[in-house]
Amino acid sequence: MRLRIAALHLLVLWSFAVAQPLFNLLGDNGEFFAARGSTRWDVILFAFVVLFLPPAILTGLEAVLPQPARTVVHIVLVGGLVGLFVLQAIRDASWPGWVLVVLAGLLGAAAALVYVRVQGARVVLTVLGPAPLLFLALFLLDSDASRLTLSGTDTALAAGQRAKAPVVLVAFDELPLNSLLNADGRVDKARFPNFARLAAGSTWYANASTVAEGTTHAVPAILTGRYPKADELPVYANHRQNLFTLLGGEADLHVADDETHLCPPKLCPGLEGSFGGRMRGLAEDTGVVYLHQLLPDDLTDGIPSIANGWDNFLRDASGHSDPGAVEPEFAESLHPSARPALWYVHFMLPHSPWSYLPAGQRYSIRQ
């Protein structure tokens, strides 16, 4: 078999076994990209790398091998990719996970045998050659992710309103009001002395409530003063009039938020982090997502949970992340200044899964 035909077959099988399941899942959940600050070029590069880079590597591996080793490796790769595809198709069956893995492996081996002996099977893969490009186009042009890839260049439209006093806004995630109150309906001074002190000297809107269940809609509602819409992502392109654009023309902005990205890059440069850091985190989390997509539920106990957020799955599982920490630059900026300023920080606390005692110590949990 010619190398280019073998490469095409690997691309087709990879697209069905890995790329398309990821495109389908992540394309329906644009928050996966928006919450980590992915730009349109991040998403486009992600799609091309996921679709083309692994098959190219596998083809390169075959290219450096002599015959007949090249043929053997190609057949093994074909069987393995078919096995991955089959496992995703049967993962919800009621049998034990290890049985499903063995069954998928056997069916993959059988498919590889058919591929070798039946020319029609190879012809089918050749005919399916355009399928990977179709999957790519649907992901980039007709999915939730397309709202990022087609959003255009962000232009900072600052209103230029001058703040008459320093503005400090702290957003705590999943903090129910009842958790702060005592039996009399007041902030519990014993359990939350600092919140009680703040409430005693402030205007406290005791009946205020979030207007959305999830972070990616609730926080933008706070920053825009508008009710969320179902098709909006927590990015500036979907919320061009917000607190940052209101004050950004006349006030210094100090913003710390890893989950929503409403401050445009021209007003908050560097907020999304470096390109390398974004792509590394995207690659790590995509691997975790694919394992959950691939494996039966009883085989995912050792894989980081993806149920409690949109990013940093590996870091959160390792306990290395601190949802109550801010960058040193932000902490150092908290001092009086002659120029009007806005300080905004969004803490992922006490967001589930709860892992902190009232005194601040962190305890180990199984996610």
Side-chain angles (χ1 to χ4, degrees):
M1 181 184 301
R2 293 179 179 179
L3 185 61
R4 66 173 180 269
I5 298 299
L8 177 63
H9 292 175
L10 291 179
L11 174 62
V12 170
L13 290 171
W14 174 267
S15 68
F16 276 94
V18 180
Q20 171 56 12
L22 284 173
F23 288 166
N24 186 57
L25 178 61
L26 301 182
D28 289 339
N29 294 276
E31 293 87 350
F32 178 82
F33 300 101
R36 68 187 66 245
S38 297
T39 67
R40 62 184 303 190
W41 297 114
D42 290 352
V43 178
I44 293 172
L45 179 61
F46 163 84
F48 275 86
V49 167
V50 166
L51 182 60
F52 293 113
L53 182 58
I57 293 174
L58 297 179
T59 301
L61 173 63
E62 291 188 15
V64 300
L65 294 175
Q67 291 287 5
R70 177 187 300 177
T71 300
V72 173
V73 169
H74 182 73
I75 294 171
V76 170
L77 292 175
V78 168
L81 291 173
V82 173
L84 293 179
F85 178 80
V86 171
L87 182 57
Q88 291 172 80
I90 64 174
R91 63 179 298 274
D92 293 327
S94 58
W95 296 347
W98 69 268
V99 174
L100 298 178
V101 171
V102 171
L103 178 59
L106 293 175
L107 292 176
L113 182 62
V114 172
Y115 176 84
V116 172
R117 295 189 174 182
V118 180
Q119 183 179 4
R122 300 190 293 275
V123 172
V124 168
L125 289 182
T126 304
V127 172
L128 289 174
L133 297 179
L134 176 62
F135 297 154
L136 179 67
L138 291 175
F139 175 73
L140 293 177
L141 303 177
D142 189 29
S143 70
D144 276 2
S146 68
R147 284 186 273 143
L148 290 173
T149 61
L150 302 178
S151 62
T153 303
D154 288 344
T155 301
L157 304 175
Q161 292 296 315
R162 184 174 180 83
K164 297 181 174 59
V167 178
V168 179
L169 176 57
V170 181
F172 291 93
D173 212 288
E174 286 192 13
L175 177 58
L177 176 62
N178 285 339
S179 297
L180 299 177
L181 305 182
N182 58 21
D184 299 325
R186 299 181 180 276
V187 177
D188 193 316
K189 295 181 180 180
R191 297 178 63 195
F192 304 103
N194 292 321
F195 274 113
R197 247 190 325 268
L198 179 63
S202 309
T203 300
W204 177 35
Y205 297 93
N207 296 323
S209 175
T210 182
V211 296
E213 179 182 1
T215 298
T216 54
H217 286 105
V219 173
I222 294 172
L223 295 174
T224 63
R226 296 179 176 178
Y227 284 103
K229 298 178 181 178
D231 60 347
E232 290 177 334
L233 297 176
V235 295
Y236 168 70
N238 286 168
H239 304 279
R240 293 182 179 270
Q241 293 180 327
N242 58 63
L243 183 63
F244 308 120
T245 59
L246 177 67
L247 301 178
E250 294 292 335
D252 294 329
L253 301 182
H254 307 280
V255 179
D257 187 0
D258 291 334
E259 295 293 322
T260 63
H261 299 270
L262 272 64
C263 190
K266 287 186 172 54
L267 295 179
C268 299
L271 185 61
E272 284 79 20
S274 67
F275 172 77
R278 293 197 307 272
M279 297 308 294
R280 181 171 58 253
L282 189 58
E284 292 175 352
D285 290 343
T286 299
V288 175
V289 168
Y290 182 70
L291 288 177
H292 279 281
Q293 176 82 0
L294 172 69
L295 297 175
D297 290 339
D298 61 344
L299 298 182
T300 60
D301 289 344
I303 302 173
S305 172
I306 60 174
N308 302 305
W310 293 102
D311 60 358
N312 296 324
F313 305 134
L314 285 177
R315 190 177 67 179
D316 291 345
S318 66
H320 293 157
S321 64
D322 183 357
V326 296
E327 295 295 330
E329 294 81 1
F330 182 87
E332 293 170 359
S333 72
L334 289 167
H335 56 75
S337 61
R339 178 177 165 84
L342 163 67
W343 288 269
Y344 169 77
V345 60
H346 173 203
F347 290 121
M348 291 300 290
L349 284 174
H351 191 287
S352 61
W354 298 285
S355 57
Y356 285 87
L357 298 172
Q361 296 94 342
R362 188 169 188 172
Y363 58 90
S364 177
I365 60 172
R366 183 177 182 84
Q367 298 188 22

